[in-house]
Amino acid sequence: MNERDRLEFYTSVTPSVVQKRIQRSGFNAFIHYGINTFAGKEWSDGTLSPEIFNPTNQDTEQWVKVLKFAGMSGIIFTAKHHDGFCMWQTATTDYSIKSSPYKEGKGDIMAELQAACKKHGMKLGVYLSPWDRHSDKYGTPEYNDYYVAQLTELLTGYGEIFAVWLDGACGAEADGKSKQTYDFERYYEVIRKLQPNAVISNCGPDVRWVGNEGGFAREGEWSVVPKIDFATQNIIAGSQQSEGQNMKRQALDMTGEDLGSREMLLPYDEFVWLPAEVDVSVRPGWFYHKSQDGRVRSVNNLTYIYYTAWGGNSLLLLNVPPDVTGRINDADVDKLVRFRDRVEAAFSKPVPIDGATAPEHEAGNKIKNVTRYGFDKKSYDALSYYTPLEEADSYEITLKLAKTAKIDKLRLIENVAYSQRVESFRIEAKDKTGAFGTVYRGKTIGFNRIAYFKPVTTNEVRLVIESSRLKPYIEYIAVYEHVKNGRNPLPPVRVALKKLFAKK
Ligand code: FUL
């Protein structure tokens, strides 16, 4: 295949309906809550007594209110973690909430959460750990039946489920048990049949793990990647292997800085659309530990993760673990509320665009289609976009602002119905003398890019697409004023970001 044929091939790879939907919302919550919470553990081995599960003030509605306020649109809940303890009324095992003192064994956190989500307009998803340290079926073919029975209960008894998160972590051999061969294909089939709108994440065909649990996104993230076994064994090998393992260290074991550039794709001949998801906890642990109340991520760090992950062509799944009372702890609530305030402020002043010039457009797909929006997602129409009539080496789009403003970021979106195309771009701003200077250099755009930079005062901004796979399809461009209490986040100081995705 020549270069042009290859580019046509890459750009023929586009998201499914389910993928488009999750890319549009992009920011969801992870809830790790279960028997571990009450033992102060990250992992337990399936022998903890159900007696210890006894929240004193269980309040799933508080979870939903806090997470919704923080800007998330769905919640993925650990219905069962590696310990095998089930948080719903299951017929598959007694190692569950029904053997606990909570509501005298009549409680069902899935049901309570579903009711709260319904009331507040949040989506509900499930995490059902494939690795199960309690079940004596584990390691035998019967375990797959057991797992499917649990999935079936969760996917039929609790209304609409928007996501099923399949964790790759597995330390069975260290437990002295034989390794389970998971029948992932069967799991996927059951999920598709029972909840056709659910996205299957992590060890699944719809969403790919970014490769670390430290909150780090790639600078250039591609959703079109070679069709290799991202979904299962790689993840299992790269996942947490022991309870005490430092999550940040794992980032160094990542599967590579570049998963989708032209050079990277060249040796392959099959490709899939598989967006990355950054899953990260608001605390050092995935589960609540009182000793970590003082170690909730800073507002700056949460904002940084939001800008670089959600705003970096990745999905963001932020874990917020409820405490032993059954509520999200004040320490986390405080940070989340302040984080949201900061983000809202940051995007509160879109600068009206008074006119734009761009290479001649394809019929109907003019630049005006994409320059009339603010942050308000409701007001933007994904069906209209801009694309130039002709292919060129580079493309310049100049935006005339309605006023001179101090700006510090743009939000850009490609129309991914035409795949992901932009490979590198820069943003320039006009200064007082009329000269344009570069304020930002970026690689990919994809389904979401927050391009942020040091504030500049200007009345004209230029987006230069320096390299694209065939011609670009742009869906959204917005320019934002610098707002003092919504200032851009600083990168974490102690981490050399480049090294995190270094090739092995
Ligand atoms: C890992 C698990 O081992 C952790 O406990 C946590 O659930 C995280 C999201 O995935 O693989």
Side-chain angles (χ1 to χ4, degrees), residues 331-379:
D332 309 62
V333 175
D334 171 59
K335 293 287 175 57
L336 289 169
V337 167
R338 288 194 287 131
F339 152 73
R340 193 62 207 172
D341 284 349
R342 181 151 161 197
V343 169
E344 295 252 308
F347 292 93
S348 63
K349 291 190 174 172
V351 187
I353 295 170
D354 217 11
T357 53
E360 190 186 346
H361 60 267
E362 203 180 74
N365 301 321
K366 49 185 189 288
I367 189 66
K368 205 161 187 222
N369 287 349
V370 305
T371 54
R372 56 186 179 203
Y373 312 111
F375 191 58
D376 180 5
K377 277 179 255 162
K378 277 172 265 154
S379 71

Side-chain angles (χ1 to χ4, degrees), residues 30 32 36 42-43 78 81-82 127 131 165 167-170 202 209 213 235 239-242 247 250 279-280 286-287 317 319:
F30 219 174
H32 276 67
N36 290 343
E42 278 294 297
W43 284 5
T78 53
H81 203 250
H82 309 327
Y127 167 114
W131 183 29
W165 212 91
D167 194 333
C170 180
N202 208 51
W209 184 44
E213 295 177 336
I235 292 173
S239 285
Q240 195 175 348
Q241 305 280 324
S242 67
M247 286 192 255
Q250 280 171 264
D279 64 319
V280 59
W286 290 101
F287 283 91
L317 186 63
N319 180 64

Side-chain angles (χ1 to χ4, degrees), residues 128-393:
L128 183 69
S129 171
W131 183 29
D132 186 319
R133 302 175 80 180
H134 181 82
S135 171
D136 51 19
K137 298 187 175 69
Y138 194 86
T140 73
E142 287 76 58
Y143 179 75
N144 284 316
D145 299 334
Y146 179 77
Y147 187 86
V148 164
Q150 295 191 328
L151 253 187
T152 305
E153 287 182 354
L154 290 168
L155 301 184
T156 53
Y158 300 93
E160 175 99 16
I161 297 293
F162 88 100
V164 179
W165 212 91
L166 300 171
D167 194 333
C170 180
E173 279 166 330
D175 277 356
K177 286 196 181 169
S178 40
K179 211 172 183 162
Q180 177 73 39
T181 310
Y182 299 120
D183 194 348
F184 278 114
E185 290 302 325
R186 183 173 165 207
Y187 306 167
Y188 303 159
E189 235 173 74
V190 171
I191 299 166
R192 292 282 195 243
K193 187 166 144 236
L194 299 177
Q195 294 281 349
N197 294 327
V199 63
I200 311 177
S201 303
N202 208 51
C203 290
D206 300 330
V207 171
R208 156 174 64 87
W209 184 44
V210 75
N212 70 79
E213 295 177 336
F216 300 104
R218 292 184 181 79
E219 203 189 324
E221 183 62 82
W222 284 97
S223 301
V224 177
V225 290
K227 190 176 175 193
I228 58 172
D229 191 11
F230 275 112
T232 52
Q233 310 319 338
N234 280 350
I235 292 173
I236 290 169
S239 285
Q240 195 175 348
Q241 305 280 324
S242 67
E243 180 178 352
Q245 192 179 343
N246 181 332
M247 286 192 255
K248 277 197 184 130
R249 281 289 300 277
Q250 280 171 264
L252 300 168
D253 291 330
M254 180 43 214
T255 43
E257 184 181 357
D258 170 17
L259 300 182
S261 70
R262 286 190 203 194
E263 299 71 49
M264 173 66 206
L265 298 188
L266 201 55
Y268 299 90
D269 50 21
E270 276 192 290
F271 307 95
V272 284
W273 186 274
L274 201 54
E277 179 178 73
V278 173
D279 64 319
V280 59
S281 187
V282 77
R283 289 165 170 254
W286 290 101
F287 283 91
Y288 175 82
H289 307 274
K290 186 156 184 41
S291 60
Q292 294 178 354
D293 282 355
R295 296 180 64 199
V296 179
R297 285 177 187 273
S298 68
V299 174
N300 181 72
N301 189 242
L302 291 171
T303 310
Y304 177 80
I305 291 173
Y306 185 74
Y307 276 38
T308 52
W310 177 81
N313 196 41
S314 296
L315 307 168
L316 174 56
L317 186 63
L318 181 65
N319 180 64
V320 183
D323 66 19
V324 291
T325 67
R327 291 167 60 88
I328 296 175
N329 194 270
D330 287 350
D332 309 62
V333 175
D334 171 59
K335 293 287 175 57
L336 289 169
V337 167
R338 288 194 287 131
F339 152 73
R340 193 62 207 172
D341 284 349
R342 181 151 161 197
V343 169
E344 295 252 308
F347 292 93
S348 63
K349 291 190 174 172
V351 187
I353 295 170
D354 217 11
T357 53
E360 190 186 346
H361 60 267
E362 203 180 74
N365 301 321
K366 49 185 189 288
I367 189 66
K368 205 161 187 222
N369 287 349
V370 305
T371 54
R372 56 186 179 203
Y373 312 111
F375 191 58
D376 180 5
K377 277 179 255 162
K378 277 172 265 154
S379 71
Y380 105 90
D381 167 12
L383 294 176
S384 61
Y385 56 87
Y386 161 78
T387 191
L389 184 61
E390 307 279 354
E391 272 171 41
D393 288 341

Side-chain angles (χ1 to χ4, degrees), residues 9-25 192 196 198-199 205-208 222-225 271-276 313 315 380 382 413-421 445-448 473 475:
F9 192 15
Y10 304 153
T11 53
S12 70
V13 181
T14 55
S16 66
V17 173
V18 163
Q19 289 171 321
K20 271 193 202 146
R21 199 174 301 129
I22 191 132
Q23 287 166 190
R24 185 68 78 205
S25 61
R192 292 282 195 243
V199 63
D206 300 330
V207 171
R208 156 174 64 87
W222 284 97
S223 301
V224 177
V225 290
F271 307 95
V272 284
W273 186 274
L274 201 54
N313 196 41
L315 307 168
Y380 105 90
I413 299 178
E414 278 184 79
N415 185 340
V416 291
Y418 295 88
S419 194
Q420 191 183 338
R421 296 175 173 233
I445 294 179
F447 57 82
N448 203 13
Y473 283 72
E475 186 173 296

